[in-house]
């Protein structure tokens, strides 16, 4: 089967790119999303905190986030339920830590005001002497957002194919041939997918997929982070802000179940279906108990996800300098949802028109470009 564009990976990166490519081209026909698992979004995109924070991340990420929030809010106007809704974000810590972790212009808060807003913080935690509030932060429902992109893509004619793990790739003239695992060793797979352009949106596996395609190494590193949905003896109000320690040692936010909690670790890992280490969830609960008066009565769900970063902490969105027809859409780290709309739009524009217009600063466009081969 030959396609104009094949996207490898059906997480938020791959599905949002498919939906945006279909919109920009006026049709999804000729576009195929290949997903290794038997269902879409089984990996990091199913394991996030679902928060979009315009003050969180390096400068290019902040610009992509502001743009994405505005685009998702605008798209929500035509939908029965919004894709994003207000959900303030509070960073608490020493004045120096808060200043280092936040952008200028955020509303500053004294320790007294912080404890009035977040009475669950332990009053004896002397390090929380100040805070900054990002009132422009929003929450999304990852499942609903992914489903919206998929619906938008498929209704325009995009094919989403699950259960196809790309294990090899080769060039035949100007065409890429993408190969699944051979059914028996030494035989040619009978199910080769052909494409003019291949978009590498393989999340934690993007470096590996890039190497199959002969692409330039991007230094993408998957980093483990464990989180849990816990029940509380006293509910937090739904409008309570997400609260993060400025040193990113823990964070929590309200959830219909009780609270979502994490210690915010970044532990290097191979690409895999990451699972919590033994004892990790108990340690996470102990950390939250150490810093807050939240009384956790049970764990509804716990998980580990891989945030995959480049050394610059800025995602990669551009043509590979070494491999013809290979486009990188990876390295979203902890910003994959908050940058998704802008990343998808920047990817679609580069693929369809060959450039990105003036809606992103030249600095951000430059920061998104792939590393060149050594
Ligand atoms: C605990 C935690 C909290 C987070 N909180 C937030 C947050 O609040 N806000 C935010 O913006 N971001 C957050 N993130 C980050 C965000 O979840 C990720 O940046 C985002 O999900 C990455 O999406 P992706 O599509 O690149 O990767 P994935 O969702 O992992 O998708 C990649 C897909 O590629 C497929 N694939 C891989 N190799 C192949 C192959 N060879 N052939 C075919 N398919 C293949 C995989 O099966 C997978 O489905 C968080 C992450 C974690 C772990």
């Amino acid at each position: 089967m030959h396609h104009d564009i094949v996207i490898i990976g059906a997480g938020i990166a791959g599905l949002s790119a498919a939906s945006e490519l279909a919109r920009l081209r006026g049709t999804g026909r000729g576009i195929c999303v290949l997903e290794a698992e038997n269902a879409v979004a089984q990996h990091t995109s199913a394991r996030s905190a679902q928060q979009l924070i315009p003050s969180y991340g390096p400068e290019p990420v902040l610009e992509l986030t502001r743009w994405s929030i505005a685009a998702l809010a605008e798209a929500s106007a035509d939908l029965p339920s919004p894709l994003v809704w207000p959900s303030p974000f509070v960073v608490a810590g020493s004045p120096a830590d808060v200043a280092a972790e936040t952008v200028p212009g955020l509303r500053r808060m004294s320790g007294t005001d912080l404890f009035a807003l977040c009475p669950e913080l332990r009053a004896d935690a002397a390090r929380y002497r100040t805070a900054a509030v990002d009132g422009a932060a929003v929450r999304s429902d990852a499942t609903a957002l992914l489903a919206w992109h998929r619906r938008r893509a498929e209704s325009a004619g995009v094919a989403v194919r699950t259960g196809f793990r790309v294990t090899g790739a080769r060039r035949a003239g100007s065409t890429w041939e993408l190969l699944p695992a051979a059914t028996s060793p030494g035989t040619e797979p009978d199910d080769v997918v052909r494409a003019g352009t291949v978009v590498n949106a393989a999340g934690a596996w993007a470096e590996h997929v890039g190497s199959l395609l002969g692409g330039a190494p991007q230094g993408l590193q998957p980093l483990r982070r464990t989180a849990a949905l816990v029940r509380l003896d006293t509910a937090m109000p739904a409008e309570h802000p997400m609260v993060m320690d400025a040193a990113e040692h823990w964070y929590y936010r309200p959830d219909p179940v009780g609270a979502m909690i994490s210690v915010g670790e970044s532990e290097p890992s191979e690409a895999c279906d990451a699972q919590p280490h033994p004892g990790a969830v108990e340690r996470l609960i102990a950390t939250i108990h150490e810093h807050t008066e939240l009384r956790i009565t049970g764990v509804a769900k716990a998980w580990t996800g891989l945030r995959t970063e480049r050394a610059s902490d800025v995602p990669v969105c551009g043509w590979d300098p070494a491999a013809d027809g290979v486009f990188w859409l990876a390295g979203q780290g902890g910003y994959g949802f908050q940058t998704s709309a802008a990343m998808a739009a920047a990817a679609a524009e580069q693929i369809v028109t060959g450039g990105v217009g003036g809606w992103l600063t030249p600095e951000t466009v430059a920061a998104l470009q792939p590393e060149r081969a050594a």
Side-chain angles (χ1 to χ4, degrees):
M1 184 82 188
H2 187 282
H3 305 275
D4 300 331
I5 303 167
V6 164
I7 299 167
I8 301 178
I12 185 62
L15 290 175
S16 57
S19 103
E20 191 53 26
L21 274 163
R23 190 198 63 78
L24 194 61
R25 296 169 94 230
T27 177
R29 282 193 289 278
I31 303 173
C32 175
V33 182
L34 292 180
E35 168 53 49
E37 303 294 348
N38 289 327
V40 303
Q42 296 296 293
H43 290 285
T44 313
S45 296
R47 307 178 193 200
S48 87
Q50 310 179 59
Q51 193 86 7
L52 289 69
I53 307 165
S55 57
Y56 181 57
E59 188 50 47
V61 166
L62 303 184
E63 188 184 1
L64 295 163
T65 303
R66 287 191 297 271
W67 198 95
S68 296
I69 291 175
L72 293 172
E74 195 184 324
S76 297
D78 299 328
L79 300 171
S81 313
L83 296 168
V84 291
W85 58 92
S87 172
F89 176 68
V90 168
V91 179
S94 70
D97 282 351
V98 169
E101 221 14 70
T102 55
V103 295
L106 286 192
R107 183 161 66 88
R108 285 306 187 92
M109 259 187 177
S110 65
T112 312
D113 289 346
L114 169 66
F115 285 104
L117 180 68
C118 306
E120 71 283 356
L121 275 173
R122 287 186 81 99
D124 55 357
R127 60 200 258 204
Y128 304 115
R129 280 182 287 125
T130 188
V133 187
D134 188 342
V138 296
R139 175 96 44 82
S140 67
D141 173 338
T143 310
L145 184 56
L146 287 154
W148 177 68
H149 281 303
R150 182 175 184 174
R151 238 181 4 257
R152 211 170 163 231
E154 288 186 320
S155 63
V158 172
V160 177
R161 189 165 168 197
T162 55
F164 190 111
R165 182 177 297 279
V166 176
T167 59
R170 64 189 178 211
R171 278 305 252 175
S174 59
T175 296
W176 278 105
E177 294 186 339
L178 303 172
L179 315 172
T183 33
S184 42
T187 62
E188 172 78 357
D190 50 13
D191 192 10
V192 175
V193 171
R194 296 180 175 79
T197 293
V198 179
V199 179
N200 179 359
W205 290 266
E207 192 75 37
H208 170 66
V209 166
S211 73
L212 295 178
L213 295 159
Q218 300 300 309
L220 293 165
Q221 175 63 61
L223 299 164
R224 292 169 56 89
R225 180 163 290 189
T226 296
L229 278 184
V230 292
R231 289 182 278 273
L232 301 176
D233 69 348
T234 311
M236 253 192 289
E239 63 280 7
H240 193 286
M242 177 171 182
V243 185
M244 189 179 90
D245 167 47
E248 213 168 334
H249 288 319
W250 52 260
Y251 63 81
Y252 59 86
R253 65 155 174 80
D255 185 273
V257 163
M260 189 217 143
I261 61 174
S262 174
V263 286
E265 79 280 26
S266 294
E267 183 194 330
S269 168
E270 294 182 339
C272 63
D273 182 10
Q275 299 299 325
H277 291 316
V281 179
E282 290 75 10
R283 286 193 293 280
L284 165 55
I285 291 171
T287 302
I288 297 297
H289 278 160
E290 186 188 334
H291 294 277
T292 75
E293 307 278 2
L294 295 174
R295 294 276 63 93
I296 295 169
T297 56
V299 177
K301 186 177 161 193
W303 66 91
T304 299
L306 298 178
R307 302 150 86 243
T308 299
E309 293 181 8
R310 279 204 288 181
S312 64
D313 197 19
V314 175
V316 50
C317 179
W319 292 105
D320 188 284
D324 280 348
V326 173
F327 192 93
W328 287 87
L329 186 63
Q332 291 86 344
Y335 318 118
F337 282 90
Q338 66 179 51
T339 59
S340 56
M343 287 280 285
E349 206 174 332
Q350 289 180 77
I351 292 167
V352 175
T353 70
V356 190
W359 56 279
L360 285 174
T361 59
E363 292 77 14
T364 294
V365 174
L368 290 173
Q369 293 313 305
E371 312 296 331
R372 308 199 72 77

